[in-house]
Amino acid sequence: MAEIKALKLAFDVPGANFDRAGEASAKLKRTLQQVGVPAEVIRRVAIGSYEGEINLIIHAGGGQLQAEIYPDHTRVIVSDQGPGIPDVKEAMQEGYSTASEEARAMGFGAGMGLPNMYNCADAFEIQSKVGWGTIITMDFKHQDR
Amino acid sequence: MKETYFHSVQITQAACRGCTFCVKHCPTEAIRVRNGKALILPNRCIDCGTCIRNCPFRAPQAKTDQLSRLKDFRYNIVLPPPSLYSQFNENIHRESIWQGLMQLGFDEIFDVALASDYIAVEIEKFIHEHAGEHKTYISCACPAVLRLIQVKFPELIPLIIPVLPPAEAAAIYIKNKIAREKHLPKEQIGVWFIAPCPSKGANIHQPVDVVHPEITGAFTVSAIYSLIMKNKKNLPAEKFTRPVSKGSSYGMGWGVYGGELKSAGLTNAIAVHGLAEVRDVLEQLSLNKMPGLDYVECSACQSGCVGGPLVSENRFVAETNLKRRIHNMRLREPSTRAATLKAVLTCEGFPHSAEYVKPLQPRPMMSLDADINVAMQKVERMEEILQGLPGLDCGVCGAPSCMCLAEDIVQGRAHEMDCIFKLRAQVKKLAYGMAELSRQLPLTGGNTMDDGLVAPAEDKNHET
């Protein structure tokens, strides 16, 4: 078997479909367990990718969750061509939310999605433009914190 | 590092017919059928006993001790848990059941419910002291759940509450007490637990969470229940005069789901029972989806320990029996929980958990290789293999799912042709290949044989 640089996974996350929320992150978690990434890191990746997945469902009308697993780190990319975030700084604040009534009724939209992603990743980058969409990149070193 | 795990659950090869019932039900995908017999993968088994429940031929059995082992000790102590009482109608006094136990040859009894009362107080204190951390702690009372966390949710290990399981606490206390009072060396004292499930049996021989275990061995609830019932006629409660420290109704409640929460006075908490539900709640905890919740009580068996695979009575009957017994006890107790616990907690020098518990070690079973580069290659290869499998999870190959077969193949434990669909497609291909060959025989006879065989245009995998 030839040496491989990265394992790549990609999942399409359909918008406004709460029933399947968490499926992509669950598959990613299983793969990371098979690779043998430390449990504490897997937990953070799972939380980060789950929040990303939920954002795709609630705000973006769907999008893609991608993961690149390297021997020493995992990168998670959450991308969409949704409405975009007008003020990223504001959106990053804990408790800030623009979630719909429907989403809130289901227990989502507490305004913790982006802060949670920021907190669980070792590196976090967000690019967003109104009318263009959003790309969030999270890096997780394969080391316990 | 190679580790060997002690398991209570074992499969009686002679009884096994290789039907794959257990394979399909096993919550940790720990069983495979090979050469017509079920085999347990030791690093995956959590001794939950699901296979014992589901086998139509009673091939999986829990390895427990024989009562004859009491002869090996000068003094024998028995630890009856609430699940034993749950087998009896609530009108049969605890004293009658104790008398029945003494007739079996035990010298001393310690009520596990009393140890639960002590542990409940420790849990309440711990949760109170850690309230500011916004962490959800997980009960440690069910060893099958602890083992599930070790193999599938190692990231949750820091959330397991660091207290002793009640039976262990009881054993440590009573063994030391008897050794002191009777001037006996500890090796000559047998401490026996009456187990409702194999996981508690396995935890005695290889505890995952206790530093110096003091329990000698275990008998099953169903075995002890049958023996007591055999002597039932000689069991008037008034004949039992020996002083035994009794647990409260709260400690007794640990036998049924929700009881642990009630006894520790926890309200910002949930009780989950049944392995599928436990797995579900652990998944949610892992995603941090219940922030602010203090505690989760988990039991692998539906209804709690009264629903263990090694009890005699139906779980609903046992649950009813135990709840009625608890109700009757409560009528005679002080009106508040605090006063009730205070009245029963009178054992001098009852062990403090902190001196005896050790943190759980992860038992990651998912990782495909110790070398991360090799593991990544194996994941990729597994994905390729999986694409070629039918995805029906039929179990005929002896693995519970196509995913597991793919994993077994990359790990060298199975072959692609173990899949009946793959094998049939291959047979078909060979058959046509042979037919093709037969047409190329020398044409000495002048005529080719028309056997009606036509090579297939396309191989349809799943046609029957």
Side-chain angles (χ1 to χ4, degrees):
Chain A
M1 281 184 274
E3 182 109 339
I4 44 169
K5 275 212 218 121
L7 272 177
K8 293 189 182 173
L9 306 173
F11 307 95
D12 285 318
V13 180
N17 186 350
F18 289 96
D19 302 346
R20 291 180 56 193
E23 268 183 25
S25 356
K27 277 183 197 153
L28 173 57
K29 183 180 172 184
R30 191 179 168 112
T31 306
L32 290 169
Q33 287 177 328
Q34 287 168 337
V35 168
V37 172
E40 192 271 340
V41 179
I42 296 180
R43 185 180 189 199
R44 286 190 286 115
V45 176
I47 291 173
S49 60
Y50 178 75
E51 294 287 4
E53 207 179 332
I54 293 297
N55 276 354
L56 293 179
I57 294 169
I58 298 181
H59 299 290
Q64 245 208 351
L65 183 80
Q66 288 165 277
E68 295 166 9
I69 307 167
Y70 299 87
D72 62 339
H73 75 285
T74 292
R75 168 167 287 187
V76 176
I77 303 159
V78 189
S79 59
D80 66 69
Q81 283 89 52
I85 303 167
D87 186 343
V88 171
K89 220 172 167 187
E90 193 177 38
M92 288 299 295
Q93 283 167 15
E94 292 190 4
Y96 179 84
S97 177
T98 59
S100 68
E101 279 304 316
E102 187 206 356
R104 282 166 198 259
M106 294 183 71
F108 299 107
M112 288 306 292
L114 288 174
N116 274 347
M117 289 159 85
Y118 176 82
N119 289 330
C120 69
D122 294 312
F124 177 92
E125 198 194 271
I126 178 164
Q127 292 171 282
S128 190
K129 225 190 268 174
V130 173
W132 173 80
T134 304
I135 300 178
I136 292 169
T137 309
M138 291 175 277
D139 279 341
F140 301 85
K141 288 185 200 149
H142 292 175
Q143 278 164 5
D144 286 359
R145 268 189 179 168
Chain B
M1 189 174 57
K2 270 242 182 274
E3 284 186 73
T4 45
Y5 298 104
F6 172 87
H7 286 295
S8 168
V9 179
Q10 298 180 351
I11 292 173
T12 314
Q13 296 289 302
C16 177
R17 299 206 199 163
C19 71
T20 75
F21 258 54
C22 56
V23 173
K24 298 289 279 182
H25 283 96
C26 176
T28 56
E29 296 147 353
I31 312 178
R32 300 289 183 275
V33 170
R34 292 285 176 267
N35 301 317
K37 302 287 176 189
L39 296 174
I40 295 176
L41 301 174
N43 61 335
R44 296 196 164 199
C45 174
I46 58 169
D47 288 285
C48 63
T50 306
C51 52
I52 296 179
R53 281 183 213 282
N54 287 293
C55 177
F57 311 108
R58 297 182 164 268
Q61 299 274 341
K63 203 174 152 231
T64 47
D65 291 291
Q66 297 298 315
L67 214 49
S68 58
R69 278 202 65 203
L70 297 190
K71 287 196 219 79
D72 302 342
F73 297 85
R74 280 178 62 189
Y75 201 86
N76 287 292
I77 307 164
V78 64
L79 308 176
S83 52
L84 177 71
Y85 304 118
S86 78
Q87 304 298 292
F88 298 87
N89 177 289
E90 77 276 12
N91 296 320
I92 297 180
H93 292 267
R94 235 192 299 194
E95 285 77 4
S96 303
I97 298 167
W98 289 343
Q99 206 199 326
L101 289 172
M102 296 300 279
Q103 285 182 351
L104 299 180
F106 296 105
D107 304 299
E108 183 79 43
I109 295 166
F110 190 89
D111 197 9
V112 175
L114 180 54
S116 301
D117 287 327
Y118 274 95
I119 300 300
V121 173
E122 284 201 46
I123 294 173
E124 184 180 15
K125 190 162 164 261
F126 184 93
I127 294 298
H128 184 73
E129 285 172 0
H130 291 76
E133 294 172 8
H134 296 290
K135 281 186 182 161
T136 307
Y137 285 93
I138 304 167
S139 157
C140 70
C142 175
V145 172
L146 296 187
R147 286 161 188 249
L148 180 70
I149 291 174
Q150 278 184 305
V151 300
K152 285 217 156 169
F153 299 93
E155 70 274 18
L156 297 179
I157 286 176
L159 296 178
I160 295 168
I161 192 156
V163 299
L164 280 170
E168 291 292 344
I172 294 166
Y173 170 75
I174 192 71
K175 197 188 228 177
N176 285 321
K177 180 168 181 264
I178 295 297
R180 236 179 10 248
E181 287 175 1
K182 310 269 175 196
H183 306 289
L184 283 170
K186 285 215 281 187
E187 309 81 67
Q188 294 183 12
I189 304 172
V191 183
W192 307 93
F193 181 58
I194 304 177
C197 64
S199 77
K200 293 200 173 176
N203 213 40
I204 289 166
H205 296 284
Q206 194 179 58
V208 291
D209 53 349
V210 184
V211 186
H212 297 297
E214 297 286 16
I215 303 182
T216 312
F219 311 112
T220 67
V221 166
S222 68
I224 297 294
Y225 171 72
S226 313
L227 289 169
I228 294 177
M229 288 309 275
K230 232 162 72 183
N231 303 333
K232 201 178 158 204
K233 284 196 295 291
N234 333 323
L235 300 178
E238 54 277 12
K239 271 197 181 169
F240 190 85
T241 50
R242 194 181 180 84
V244 170
S245 312
K246 293 181 189 183
S248 76
S249 65
Y250 292 94
M252 190 62 90
W254 280 53
V256 66
Y257 70 94
E260 187 184 336
L261 299 185
K262 271 193 207 121
S263 82
L266 300 176
T267 47
N268 180 25
I270 55 171
V272 184
H273 53 116
L275 251 188
E277 283 76 6
V278 167
R279 213 163 32 168
D280 198 11
V281 82
L282 294 178
E283 196 73 61
Q284 305 310 309
L285 277 180
S286 183
L287 287 172
N288 203 19
K289 282 179 68 183
M290 297 175 283
L293 186 71
D294 285 337
Y295 197 69
V296 180
E297 173 199 310
C298 295
S299 26
C301 296
Q302 288 185 326
S303 297
C305 294
V306 296
L310 304 182
V311 306
S312 297
E313 197 50 274
N314 169 281
R315 75 178 165 102
F316 297 111
V317 177
E319 185 181 330
T320 308
N321 284 342
L322 192 64
K323 283 184 170 166
R324 285 189 178 148
R325 185 179 292 275
I326 291 165
H327 175 78
N328 291 349
M329 286 168 75
R330 206 153 288 171
L331 294 176
R332 295 189 296 273
E333 286 175 345
S335 58
T336 66
R337 184 180 63 93
T340 304
L341 291 181
K342 203 175 162 207
V344 295
L345 302 183
T346 55
C347 300
E348 217 168 289
F350 198 85
H352 293 288
S353 291
E355 296 159 38
Y356 298 94
V357 287
K358 61 176 184 190
L360 231 59
Q361 290 305 307
R363 247 174 76 186
M365 62 169 214
M366 304 284 288
S367 166
L368 295 178
D369 204 283
D371 179 338
I372 199 162
N373 289 295
V374 179
M376 282 168 64
Q377 287 167 15
K378 284 183 174 174
V379 168
E380 207 153 68
R381 170 106 183 88
M382 215 180 115
E383 206 52 46
E384 280 166 29
I385 295 169
L386 191 59
Q387 295 301 321
L389 295 175
L392 296 174
D393 297 346
C394 68
V396 176
C397 62
S401 65
C402 293
M403 172 96 82
C404 285
L405 176 62
E407 186 186 334
D408 287 352
I409 294 169
V410 294
Q411 297 296 51
R413 292 193 295 253
H415 190 268
E416 246 175 307
M417 289 308 129
D418 291 338
C419 172
I420 189 82
F421 295 96
K422 282 270 176 192
L423 179 71
R424 212 165 50 175
Q426 186 68 15
V427 166
K428 200 168 173 184
K429 203 169 134 197
L430 285 177
Y432 284 119
M434 285 165 78
E436 199 57 42
L437 264 183
S438 71
R439 285 194 195 91
Q440 300 186 10
L441 287 172
L443 299 174
T444 45
N447 292 323
T448 53
M449 285 190 296
D450 187 4
D451 53 11
L453 280 175
V454 185
E458 200 178 309
D459 193 8
K460 283 184 200 153
N461 249 341
H462 304 168
E463 69 176 22
T464 45

